[in-house]
Each structure stands twice: as C-alpha cells, then as structure tokens.
Amino acid sequence: MNEMDKGPSQSTGIQLLFLEDHDGETRHALSHAFLEKGHSVRIVNTVEDCVSSIMTMNPDVLITGLSLSNDSVHAIGRAMIQEAPASPWLMITATPWKSPSDITNQIKSPVFFDRATPPDELAPHLDIYIEAAMLKKKTNRLEQDLATLRCQFEQAVNARTDEISVTNNKLVEAIERANSMAAEAEQANIAKSEFLANMSHEIRTPMNGVIGMTDLLLETDLDDEQRGYADLIQESAMALLVIINDILDYSKIEAKKLEIEHIDFDLRGMVESVGEVLSIKAHEKNLEFSQLIYQNVPVFVKGDPGRIRQILMNLGGNAVKFTEKGEVFLSVSLVSEDADKALIRFGVEDTGIGIPGHIIPTLFESFKQADASFTRKYGGTGLGLSISRELTHLMGGDIHVESELHKGSTFWFTVTLEKQKEIKNYDPVCPFLVKHMKILVAEDSSSSRQVLSEYLKTWGCRYTEVMNGDDALKQLYDAVYQNAPYDLAIIDKKMPGMDGESLGTAIKNDPALKDTLLIMCTGQGARGDAKRMKAIGFSAYLTKPVKQSQLFNCIAIVNDNKIKKKERSQSRLFVTRHDIPAKKESGDVILLVEDNPVNQKLAMRLLEKQGYRVDVAANGKEAVTALSKKDGPEYLMVLMDIQMPVMNGIEATLTIRDPDSEVIRKNIPVIAMTANAMTGDKDRCLMSGMNDYVSKPIDPKLLFDIINKYKTTDSGLCPPRHPSK
C-alpha cells in the first residue's frame, strides 16, 4: 500500500500526515513516539498520495522526510495553503529548500530539520510544533463550541424576544381593554352620581314639606288621635330621611368622593346639642341619659362638626334603640395632644342587649347587623357603622367596640382635631358664687353622679355623692350637727325608695335643713312639674342632660339670689332652663328665594315663629329685582334655593355679587337652602359667592344657628370664589 493509518480511529490527539518513501529508523522512531502520545499517524510514500491526503484529511501537522523537487514542494505547499493553512509543515531533509521569490506567498512554507539529527534529539523539537498544533486544535474546537453556543443563545434570545413581543402585544391589548372598561366605568359612575343627585333633590324636596309641615301641625291644637297620627308621620319621615342619608353617604364613600370639612367649632356646644336630641329619645324609653366632656379636652378646635355629630347620633341612637332599661352615657376625653393638634376619644356606653363575640369582627361591614332578626325588630339599613368607620378614618382616627351579651356595649371612636390658634378665653360669670360651695349630689345613676362630680370638682366645690334619699338625709343631718351644713343639694327626681320630690319635701319641712338650696334634675319634665317643685321649695328645675354652663349659671343664680334675699328680703327666685339663655330679638326681614309653594309656606312659618318678617321671590330673577329696589326693605339676609326656573340660585348669587349689577347691598349674606346634597354642591354654592349652606329637609335648629351666626357678625363682601389653578 502507498499509505497506511496507525493509531485509534477516534483519536484524542492530532492527525499527522507523514511523507516518507522508505521504512527507515527516523520514520519508525517518530511514528512510534507519536502513537504513544495518542496521536493518529498516516504514512504515505508519494507526493501524489500526500497531496491527496492533505485534501481529504486536513492534517494538523505535515512531516515530510524525503528530498522533494520544486514541483513537489509547490504541489504540497499549495494543498496545505488551501486545506490546512494553519497547520505546520515540518521538512526533515539533508538539503534545505529555497523557495523562489515569485511564489513565496503562494505556498505553505516548511520548517526545516536536519536529517542527520538522531530521532531521539529530533523528537523534542518536533514536539514543540506538535503541542502548538494540539493547542490550536483545542482552540478551534472551543471556538466551534463557542460559535454553537452563540448560535443557540441567539436562537433562544430570538425565541424569547418573540415570546416577549407576543406577551407585550397581549399586554397592550389588555391595557386598551382596561382603559376602555375604566372609561365605561367612569361614565357609569358619572351617570350614577347624576342619578343620585337628581334623586336626592327630588326626594328631599317633598320630604322637606312633609317633615316641616308635620312639625308645624304638631304645634297646633290636636286631639290625642290626631296627634298620634301626626307623630307616626313624623317618625316615618325621619326614618326615611335617615335611610336616604345613609345610602347617599355610602355612595359617596364607594365613589371616594366623601369630603371632610375643616372649620372652627365649639366641641362642647356640638356635643351638648347631640345630647339634647339623644336625651329626648332616651327618656321616651324611660332610660337615664348623661354626658360628660372632661375638663382637659380642648373645646375650640378645627374639624368637621357635622360628621362628628353624625357618628355620635348613629352610635347614640343605636345605644338607645338596643337598650330596654338602664342608661346611656356619652363621654368625651383627651387621648393625647401637642401644641397644634389633639386626639379626642368619644365614647357611647349603654346597658343594652350587648353583641355576641363572633359578630363583632364583621360589625363594621356594610349592610351588617348583629342578627338578621334585628332588622325586623329595630329597623335600619346596616350602613350606619360602616359609614362611621369610614368617617373616623378620614378624620385621622379609628372606631372600636367592647361588648358583653345581655350586659351592654361601649362604642368609642377617635378623631384628630386641630386646635384653634386664636381662642377667646371663657371665664365663668361670678365664679365666687360657686367656688367653695358645699354641695350634696343625690343621684342613683353612676354615670350622672360622675358627670356632676366632674363639674363640681372643676369649679372648686366641696361635694359628696349619695345614691338615694335616705342617705341624702343622713348626710344633711350629719353636716348640720357638725355645724357645717350643705349650701345646696342637687337631687334626681327618680330614685329608688324615697324619690326626689319626697326628699325635697322632707328637707323643706325640717327647720334644721330648710335653708338648703335645692335643684331638681329630671330626665323628662312633665306638665305641672316645675310649678309643683317650686311650691315644695326647690330653687331650680333642670332637665337632663344638664349642660356644664347651664348648671354653673343655675347654681350661681340661685346662690346669688339667696345672698340678695338675706340682704334685701327679696321674694324667692325659681329658675328653669328657659330662664338661662338670653331672649331672642325679632323684626328683621329675610328674603326667601324658593319656587316650591310647600317649601315657601314651611320656611315662612318657621321664620315667622321666630319673629322674622319674610318676603318671597319665586326665582333668582325676582330676588335680584327685590334687592335692587332703592325703596325696598333692608333685608337681613337671603335664603336661596338652587334649582329654580328663569334664573337659578347660582346665577342669582353671581349677579348679586357682581360689582356692575344694580343690587344695592352686594355683601348681603346669602345662605343656600337646597335639596342638592351631593359631593361638590356646597363648594359650588360657596364659589358662586354664597356665605353658607343648609341642605333640605331643613333642620330648624341648624338653620337658625346659621342665621344667628350671620346676624351677629359682619359678614363682609363674599365675592365669587374661583378654584386655584
């Protein structure tokens, strides 16, 4: 054979091509050394076989061991430059070959080794090129692997890019669908808000007439049957109004449009007004009602009095509703404060039916009540507590409940209120008339005793508490015998055993005790009670809950009268709660702008009963005309409806405030009095130049509070307000 292969078929080394024309010592030694190192060796005998092998096997190393002609060298060199340009060519020859200069760059140039060099000395020199070839082969293999990996990576990247592109397209489509759904939801929300606004207005307008006219009807002479029917109408109308307000508030909360005001108010006055309403409901069920505002609570604050009142009315109303016997106690205390803000705790405690423990975690959820049967027995939407929770959160607080089944509940909530910067100091009139007085409190209700004790302690009085009439008499006798009699006794009308009336009679019939001043406190006065108490010898007769200022002034008045009576022998004075407030004035003219005949009649009657004269305009245009008459009356203020034909209330107010209008008194107070009660309605009224806002159905007390506010202060010009850009 002209050629033969030696070594493993799957060589782990390199491929050597060996051109040698005879089987000499050099070929044998080198071939054996290469094979031992794991290389593959192909031995050829002719130049033609060598060129053919170069073309087919692409050798890693070429070794030629015979003398070659120029043509042979050129043939082998061209094959190498074509098929294995990076592989070394090792020529073992006795005579080095010199390539002509014109073809030097066209063939692979060999590296020469002297044939005379012994094989054992020649092998190490050849190993250098062999190792280089091996390194080159490994490098090529790594480059191929790297190229394969790069290709696979690019394919993976392209596939992932395609996936991302598909996902991105799906995401874009999802975003477009979401935007479309959001736009549809927004349109639906707008439609719902418009529907609620219209329904609120349409329901409140007739409700204002029903409630208001029923109020007026109840003030007329009715027989028992007629009064019973009128009371049922009033109760049903008020219950319906509560439901309407709850649903309206819930829709505002759901739409994230419930707004919280930030105005100056008197916390004590607001809480006491709530107490007046709740006490009437409590006394109708023969329940004791008391309230206490602790002395360290800042009362001149900034916040939303309307929303705090709403929560208190809800919690207090529930306490009365779910309590069959016992008492309801409303308290206001200070949790913490700094120079600017105060965290206030409001608590409502009752001795009612209580709440099962497993119900409490869901109690503040919408449409939830402690038991499904409660709705049938007590009524209600189940929204009140849910709304109260949202309101407390909006005011920087929280709401909680502690309850024991069949023993009662305590609901309490906190709100963060800002302190007013400029506070008018309130100093009680004639504090010396109350301070250091020795006073006995006879009261069986623990919460009422707590309230009275807190008041008396604040005023610097010396006081003692007892729970019944017998203990009261013992205290009074002991004090007389110790030559330190009590100056005054505050007596509850209903006590176990000896009631307040009997106790008062016993005191006034005893010469040793008759000089003790007596103040009767009762849950709910009955016709003829005051006259009878006066005949017994009581100096004052007050209904619960007794306001702090009311009790102070009452004690001061009766004590002052006692002093003056000793000095001048004046007749004995008798004080009721009606003698403490100042008398109202009358004679002012108010312009009522209202298109609804029923609401016209109702508002006129309410205002006239308070001593005001009323002119009526059926729309905004008539109002502007009336205010532009030089010979017309000087109106105290304008009560302005919003939705009216010809010219609505907003347009009329803008005209009144317009410097170029013919209205004579452009700074006249304008009060919105409207059935529009949706979010933003009040802002729109105020921005048009109105001074204040009252929603229908009209709460007479709130209406006259606002009238008095602008009646006693210089309102100044209230121009249209424009939102800051």
Side-chain angles (χ1 to χ4, degrees):
M1 290 181 59
N2 290 329
E3 63 179 55
M4 60 180 175
D5 292 314
K6 295 181 179 181
S9 58
Q10 296 296 327
S11 174
T12 58
I14 63 172
Q15 299 185 82
L16 283 88
L17 179 60
F18 204 155
L19 174 60
E20 180 64 80
D21 59 353
H22 64 282
D23 188 12
E25 180 183 358
T26 299
R27 188 178 83 173
H28 179 74
L30 292 177
S31 297
H32 182 71
F34 294 154
L35 291 172
E36 282 186 342
K37 294 180 179 180
H39 303 312
S40 175
V41 180
R42 174 177 285 189
I43 301 175
V44 295
N45 304 116
T46 64
V47 172
E48 290 79 5
D49 290 338
C50 180
V51 171
S52 176
S53 295
I54 292 171
M55 301 296 288
T56 57
M57 67 178 289
N58 190 4
D60 298 309
V61 178
L62 171 63
I63 300 176
T64 58
L66 71 163
S67 297
L68 300 173
S69 64
N70 285 342
D71 290 340
S72 297
V73 170
H74 292 165
I76 294 172
R78 281 193 294 270
M80 288 294 288
I81 202 78
Q82 180 179 348
E83 299 297 334
S87 301
W89 177 8
L90 309 180
M91 184 180 289
I92 303 173
T93 180
T95 304
W97 177 81
K98 292 184 179 181
S99 174
S101 59
D102 59 337
I103 61 170
T104 300
N105 298 325
Q106 301 177 16
I107 65 172
K108 179 74 175 180
S109 298
V111 179
F112 297 98
F113 291 92
D114 191 352
R115 179 178 287 278
T117 305
D120 57 343
E121 296 181 10
L122 183 60
H125 295 287
L126 296 178
D127 282 345
I128 296 174
Y129 290 94
I130 299 300
E131 293 295 333
M134 289 182 64
L135 181 61
K136 180 64 177 176
K137 186 171 184 178
K138 290 179 180 179
T139 302
N140 290 340
R141 187 175 293 114
L142 290 174
E143 289 178 349
Q144 291 174 359
D145 292 343
L146 181 61
T148 300
L149 292 174
R150 183 182 293 113
C151 181
Q152 293 174 350
F153 175 73
E154 289 176 353
Q155 291 175 351
V157 169
N158 291 336
R160 185 58 178 161
T161 301
D162 292 340
E163 291 178 5
I164 293 174
S165 178
V166 171
T167 303
N168 187 60
N169 291 336
K170 291 181 179 179
L171 180 60
V172 170
E173 293 175 359
I175 292 173
E176 290 176 351
R177 285 197 302 272
N179 290 337
S180 176
M181 292 173 66
E184 292 175 1
E186 180 64 22
Q187 289 298 320
N189 192 49
I190 292 172
K192 184 181 76 171
S193 296
E194 291 176 350
F195 171 77
L196 286 171
N198 290 333
M199 288 304 299
S200 174
H201 181 272
E202 294 304 317
I203 293 174
R204 284 173 181 274
T205 297
M207 284 293 294
N208 184 54
V210 172
I211 294 174
M213 287 302 181
T214 307
D215 278 337
L216 296 177
L217 178 63
L218 287 168
E219 294 178 6
T220 63
D221 292 329
L222 302 173
D223 60 34
D224 291 342
E225 184 179 10
Q226 292 169 333
R227 186 166 296 277
Y229 293 153
D231 284 336
L232 286 175
I233 293 172
Q234 185 76 325
E235 290 175 9
S236 300
M238 295 306 297
L240 179 58
L241 182 60
V242 169
I243 293 173
I244 293 170
N245 288 337
D246 280 351
I247 294 174
L248 193 59
D249 278 342
Y250 183 75
S251 69
K252 293 176 183 177
I253 292 171
E254 196 178 43
K256 307 296 183 184
K257 291 184 178 181
L258 191 66
E259 297 177 349
I260 298 298
E261 288 189 323
H262 191 69
I263 60 175
D264 292 345
F265 71 100
D266 178 356
L267 180 63
R268 182 180 298 278
M270 183 273 294
V271 173
E272 288 179 343
S273 69
V274 170
E276 288 180 352
V277 177
L278 293 176
S279 66
I280 296 173
K281 297 180 179 179
H283 297 149
E284 287 174 353
K285 296 183 66 175
N286 202 28
L287 300 175
E288 185 77 21
F289 180 87
S290 55
Q291 62 184 28
L292 173 60
I293 305 171
Y294 285 90
Q295 192 63 27
N296 63 341
V297 175
V299 295
F300 297 106
V301 292
K302 284 186 176 182
D304 194 330
R307 292 303 184 182
I308 297 175
R309 177 186 175 91
Q310 179 180 350
I311 300 172
L312 287 175
M313 288 298 297
N314 179 260
L315 299 183
N318 285 344
V320 173
K321 180 192 297 185
F322 298 119
T323 302
E324 298 303 327
K325 62 179 181 179
E327 60 183 348
V328 174
F329 178 44
L330 190 161
S331 63
V332 183
S333 57
L334 177 66
V335 178
S336 62
E337 67 176 336
D338 56 28
D340 300 318
K341 294 181 179 180
L343 183 63
I344 309 297
R345 180 187 187 274
F346 300 82
V348 178
E349 183 178 352
D350 66 61
T351 57
I353 59 178
I355 304 168
H358 69 280
I359 297 294
I360 291 177
T362 63
L363 198 59
F364 295 100
E365 295 180 8
S366 302
F367 306 105
K368 290 284 186 179
Q369 288 191 336
D371 190 283
S373 62
F374 284 14
T375 301
R376 295 190 296 271
K377 182 176 181 180
Y378 297 104
T381 61
L383 289 174
L385 291 178
S386 174
I387 293 170
S388 296
R389 179 186 60 182
E390 296 299 328
L391 290 175
T392 56
H393 290 172
L394 288 172
M395 292 187 287
D398 206 351
I399 188 168
H400 301 274
V401 60
E402 299 171 359
S403 183
E404 188 173 350
L405 194 61
H406 307 308
K407 291 189 177 181
S409 306
T410 299
F411 282 84
W412 58 273
F413 67 96
T414 57
V415 296
T416 300
L417 298 174
E418 183 180 340
K419 296 179 180 179
Q420 294 181 25
K421 299 301 181 184
E422 297 180 3
I423 301 176
K424 297 178 180 179
N425 293 324
Y426 170 73
D427 295 321
V429 179
C430 304
F432 67 88
L433 292 173
V434 175
K435 191 173 183 180
H436 303 309
M437 287 185 68
K438 188 174 182 180
I439 298 176
L440 177 66
V441 176
E443 171 66 69
D444 64 310
S445 166
S446 59
S447 58
S448 294
R449 289 199 308 273
Q450 181 183 355
V451 171
L452 294 172
S453 298
E454 186 70 21
Y455 290 167
L456 297 175
K457 180 173 62 177
T458 299
W459 301 329
C461 300
R462 296 170 294 153
Y463 63 92
T464 303
E465 305 172 31
V466 294
M467 297 177 60
N468 54 63
D470 293 331
D471 289 344
L473 284 176
K474 184 177 183 304
Q475 282 288 336
L476 291 169
Y477 284 129
D478 288 347
V480 170
Y481 295 149
Q482 295 170 9
N483 202 27
Y486 283 94
D487 299 306
L488 182 144
I490 302 174
I491 301 173
D492 181 32
K493 184 180 180 183
K494 291 185 178 181
M495 291 187 293
M498 182 185 295
D499 62 18
E501 186 172 345
S502 299
L503 176 59
T505 301
I507 293 172
K508 288 302 179 180
N509 288 339
D510 192 315
L513 305 178
K514 67 178 183 178
D515 290 335
T516 306
L517 295 171
L518 301 182
I519 296 178
M520 173 66 80
C521 289
T522 180
Q524 188 173 17
R527 187 179 297 273
D529 276 358
K531 184 177 180 180
R532 195 167 62 254
M533 296 306 116
K534 181 178 180 181
I536 291 172
F538 280 87
S539 299
Y541 178 85
L542 301 177
T543 55
K544 299 177 183 179
V546 180
K547 298 179 182 178
Q548 184 181 33
S549 59
Q550 189 181 65
L551 180 62
F552 180 90
N553 291 335
C554 180
I555 295 174
I557 290 171
V558 297
N559 191 36
D560 182 50
N561 183 69
K562 179 180 180 180
I563 296 172
K564 291 179 178 179
K565 184 180 177 182
K566 288 181 179 179
E567 294 173 351
R568 305 178 185 177
S569 299
Q570 290 184 345
S571 60
R572 181 165 59 88
L573 177 72
F574 185 74
V575 180
T576 67
R577 63 189 179 94
H578 303 290
D579 299 312
I580 297 172
K583 293 182 178 179
K584 65 190 177 190
E585 297 179 358
S586 61
D588 294 306
V589 186
I590 291 177
L591 178 61
L592 173 66
V593 189
E594 169 67 66
D595 64 315
N596 186 286
V598 176
N599 289 337
Q600 286 178 1
K601 187 177 295 186
L602 170 62
M604 288 177 64
R605 187 72 182 112
L606 288 174
L607 294 168
E608 289 170 351
K609 284 175 69 66
Q610 294 296 317
Y612 296 103
R613 292 164 48 209
V614 183
D615 284 352
V616 177
N619 55 61
K621 185 176 181 180
E622 291 184 9
V624 171
T625 301
L627 293 171
S628 302
K629 292 181 179 179
K630 295 181 180 180
D631 56 348
E634 184 177 347
Y635 293 110
L636 175 67
M637 64 184 62
V638 180
L639 300 181
M640 182 78 73
D641 187 24
I642 300 302
Q643 293 191 9
M644 296 180 292
V646 185
M647 178 184 288
N648 64 40
I650 300 293
E651 295 170 337
T653 305
L654 289 171
T655 303
I656 293 170
R657 302 301 187 209
D658 186 354
D660 297 327
S661 73
E662 296 182 359
V663 173
I664 297 171
R665 186 183 167 202
K666 296 180 174 59
N667 67 338
I668 185 171
V670 179
I671 312 300
M673 195 168 67
T674 174
N676 292 353
M678 294 296 292
T679 300
D681 288 336
K682 181 174 182 179
D683 289 339
R684 283 191 290 273
C685 292
L686 297 180
M687 283 192 291
S688 72
M690 296 184 184
N691 299 75
D692 221 315
Y693 173 96
V694 180
S695 64
K696 296 176 183 175
I698 298 300
D699 178 347
K701 184 180 184 305
L702 177 60
L703 173 62
F704 290 115
D705 283 346
I706 291 178
I707 289 175
N708 291 332
K709 172 183 175 182
Y710 292 97
K711 179 179 179 180
T712 57
T713 60
D714 182 9
S715 64
L717 185 62
C718 187
R721 308 173 193 179
H722 301 285
S724 57
K725 297 180 179 180

